[in-house]
Amino acid sequence: TTEIYTLSLHDALPISAIGAPAGTIDVAYDVPNMYKYLDFVHVMCYDYHGKWDKKTGHNAPLHPRPTEPLSDQALNVAYSWNYLKKLGAIPEKTVLGVPLYGRAYTLMNPNSNKMGAPAKSTSFQGPFTREDGFMGYNEICLEGMDKENPWTNVFEEHHMAPYMYRGDSWMSYDNEKSIRLKSEYAYSEGLAGVMTWSIDTDDFNGDCGGPKFPLLRAINNALHLSSLGIYSSANQASSTLLALVSITLPLVLLWRQF
């Protein structure tokens, strides 16, 4: 037999996902009214940089680098949230979006491989996602296991996120450490939770030598430890919250204040 379930408008949970850059926010959203009528606003804090810039940059920097151009110093998670907050965003209705993928670049000069290095408008792709300039974490971590043709890994201390390079190939991405730091930041700001784009690009088979879904586990663990007052960074909790987990596609991890 087939059972039919109905959901009334009264039971619905109005939510929206929005772009994170300030320029997008200015032209696209009425922030006070958005928060008035929506239960949750998911801020997609990724795609700040990509091959379209024709220079290397991080997909989802947590904070700015002091040496980057002023225009780029507005392209990071902390700036986006602080900008929204000034416009009337409500922390307990805001969900921080984090990426489980990276942005790939092809360097103009393999010897110029720092953040902000000149890059071509075309790039490389992964074997599964097969999108130019995009690779899932499940593809990136497999690349990182290549011992015959190894990558050089760098953790950018200001962005609080990693990148790696090999020859003329350059990749910015998030790993367990940077995802944990973003999750702690969301908790310390009193946000409603963390969502990802997307669970199918995590290492869901555990092919990279660790457990299945390592990034999702890092988020869950960071929120749990944060609720106990335990941090891996200098972030400080703004309030005592209870972590609750619910899964959608993309995954959303929410906690609510009681």
Side-chain angles (χ1 to χ4, degrees), residues 128 138 141-142 145 202-214:
F128 310 133
N138 54 339
C141 67
L142 286 175
M145 296 176 67
D202 199 352
D203 182 19
F204 53 84
N205 284 326
D207 292 328
C208 295
K212 296 180 179 180
F213 296 103

Short mmCIF file of all heavy atoms in Angstrom, two decimals, residues 128 138 141-142 145 202-214:
data_model
loop_
_atom_site.label_atom_id
_atom_site.label_comp_id
_atom_site.label_asym_id
_atom_site.label_seq_id
_atom_site.Cartn_x
_atom_site.Cartn_y
_atom_site.Cartn_z
N PHE A 128 35.68 12.71 -10.76
CA PHE A 128 34.28 12.41 -10.44
C PHE A 128 33.36 13.59 -10.76
O PHE A 128 32.34 13.42 -11.43
CB PHE A 128 34.14 12.05 -8.96
CG PHE A 128 35.11 11.01 -8.49
CD1 PHE A 128 35.83 11.18 -7.31
CD2 PHE A 128 35.34 9.85 -9.23
CE1 PHE A 128 36.74 10.23 -6.87
CE2 PHE A 128 36.25 8.90 -8.81
CZ PHE A 128 36.95 9.08 -7.62
N ASN A 138 36.62 14.81 -1.76
CA ASN A 138 36.95 13.41 -1.98
C ASN A 138 37.97 13.24 -3.10
O ASN A 138 38.76 12.29 -3.08
CB ASN A 138 35.68 12.59 -2.27
CG ASN A 138 34.85 13.15 -3.41
OD1 ASN A 138 34.95 14.32 -3.76
ND2 ASN A 138 34.00 12.32 -3.99
N CYS A 141 41.52 15.00 -1.52
CA CYS A 141 42.27 14.20 -0.55
C CYS A 141 42.96 13.02 -1.22
O CYS A 141 44.05 12.61 -0.80
CB CYS A 141 41.38 13.74 0.61
SG CYS A 141 40.08 12.56 0.21
N LEU A 142 42.38 12.51 -2.30
CA LEU A 142 43.07 11.44 -3.06
C LEU A 142 44.31 12.00 -3.74
O LEU A 142 45.36 11.33 -3.77
CB LEU A 142 42.11 10.85 -4.10
CG LEU A 142 41.00 9.93 -3.57
CD1 LEU A 142 40.08 9.52 -4.71
CD2 LEU A 142 41.59 8.68 -2.90
N MET A 145 47.24 12.17 -1.49
CA MET A 145 47.87 10.90 -1.13
C MET A 145 48.89 10.43 -2.17
O MET A 145 49.52 9.38 -2.00
CB MET A 145 46.80 9.82 -0.94
CG MET A 145 45.84 10.10 0.21
SD MET A 145 44.52 8.86 0.33
CE MET A 145 45.47 7.40 0.79
N ASP A 202 32.15 15.11 0.19
CA ASP A 202 32.98 14.69 1.31
C ASP A 202 33.59 13.33 0.96
O ASP A 202 33.18 12.68 -0.02
CB ASP A 202 32.13 14.59 2.58
CG ASP A 202 32.95 14.62 3.87
OD1 ASP A 202 34.20 14.56 3.78
OD2 ASP A 202 32.36 14.68 4.95
N ASP A 203 34.55 12.87 1.72
CA ASP A 203 35.15 11.55 1.50
C ASP A 203 34.20 10.50 2.07
O ASP A 203 34.48 9.89 3.10
CB ASP A 203 36.53 11.48 2.14
CG ASP A 203 37.23 10.14 1.91
OD1 ASP A 203 36.81 9.41 0.97
OD2 ASP A 203 38.16 9.82 2.66
N PHE A 204 33.06 10.29 1.38
CA PHE A 204 31.99 9.47 1.93
C PHE A 204 32.32 7.99 1.98
O PHE A 204 31.66 7.23 2.71
CB PHE A 204 30.68 9.70 1.16
CG PHE A 204 30.79 9.52 -0.34
CD1 PHE A 204 30.70 8.29 -0.92
CD2 PHE A 204 30.98 10.64 -1.15
CE1 PHE A 204 30.80 8.13 -2.29
CE2 PHE A 204 31.08 10.50 -2.52
CZ PHE A 204 30.99 9.24 -3.11
N ASN A 205 33.34 7.54 1.24
CA ASN A 205 33.76 6.14 1.30
C ASN A 205 34.96 5.92 2.23
O ASN A 205 35.39 4.79 2.43
CB ASN A 205 34.12 5.61 -0.09
CG ASN A 205 32.89 5.31 -0.94
OD1 ASN A 205 31.87 4.89 -0.41
ND2 ASN A 205 32.99 5.53 -2.24
N GLY A 206 35.52 6.99 2.76
CA GLY A 206 36.71 6.85 3.58
C GLY A 206 37.91 6.38 2.79
O GLY A 206 38.76 5.63 3.29
N ASP A 207 38.02 6.85 1.54
CA ASP A 207 39.09 6.39 0.65
C ASP A 207 40.45 7.00 0.98
O ASP A 207 41.47 6.54 0.47
CB ASP A 207 38.74 6.73 -0.81
CG ASP A 207 37.57 5.91 -1.33
OD1 ASP A 207 37.41 4.76 -0.88
OD2 ASP A 207 36.82 6.43 -2.18
N CYS A 208 40.47 8.03 1.80
CA CYS A 208 41.73 8.74 2.05
C CYS A 208 42.39 8.35 3.37
O CYS A 208 43.19 9.10 3.93
CB CYS A 208 41.49 10.25 1.99
SG CYS A 208 41.00 10.81 0.34
N GLY A 209 42.06 7.17 3.86
CA GLY A 209 42.75 6.63 5.02
C GLY A 209 42.14 6.95 6.36
O GLY A 209 42.66 6.53 7.40
N GLY A 210 41.04 7.67 6.37
CA GLY A 210 40.37 8.02 7.62
C GLY A 210 38.95 7.50 7.63
O GLY A 210 38.58 6.64 6.81
N PRO A 211 38.12 7.99 8.53
CA PRO A 211 36.72 7.54 8.59
C PRO A 211 35.92 8.10 7.42
O PRO A 211 36.36 9.02 6.73
CB PRO A 211 36.23 8.12 9.92
CG PRO A 211 37.07 9.36 10.10
CD PRO A 211 38.43 9.00 9.57
N LYS A 212 34.75 7.55 7.20
CA LYS A 212 33.85 8.09 6.20
C LYS A 212 33.35 9.47 6.65
O LYS A 212 33.20 9.72 7.84
CB LYS A 212 32.66 7.16 5.98
CG LYS A 212 33.04 5.79 5.41
CD LYS A 212 31.81 4.91 5.23
CE LYS A 212 32.18 3.56 4.64
NZ LYS A 212 30.99 2.68 4.46
N PHE A 213 33.10 10.35 5.70
CA PHE A 213 32.60 11.69 5.96
C PHE A 213 33.45 12.46 6.99
O PHE A 213 32.92 12.95 8.00
CB PHE A 213 31.14 11.65 6.43
CG PHE A 213 30.18 11.11 5.41
CD1 PHE A 213 29.69 9.81 5.52
CD2 PHE A 213 29.76 11.88 4.34
CE1 PHE A 213 28.80 9.29 4.58
CE2 PHE A 213 28.88 11.38 3.39
CZ PHE A 213 28.40 10.08 3.51
N PRO A 214 34.74 12.60 6.75
CA PRO A 214 35.60 13.27 7.74
C PRO A 214 35.25 14.74 7.98
O PRO A 214 35.37 15.22 9.11
CB PRO A 214 37.00 13.12 7.15
CG PRO A 214 36.78 12.96 5.68
CD PRO A 214 35.50 12.16 5.57
#
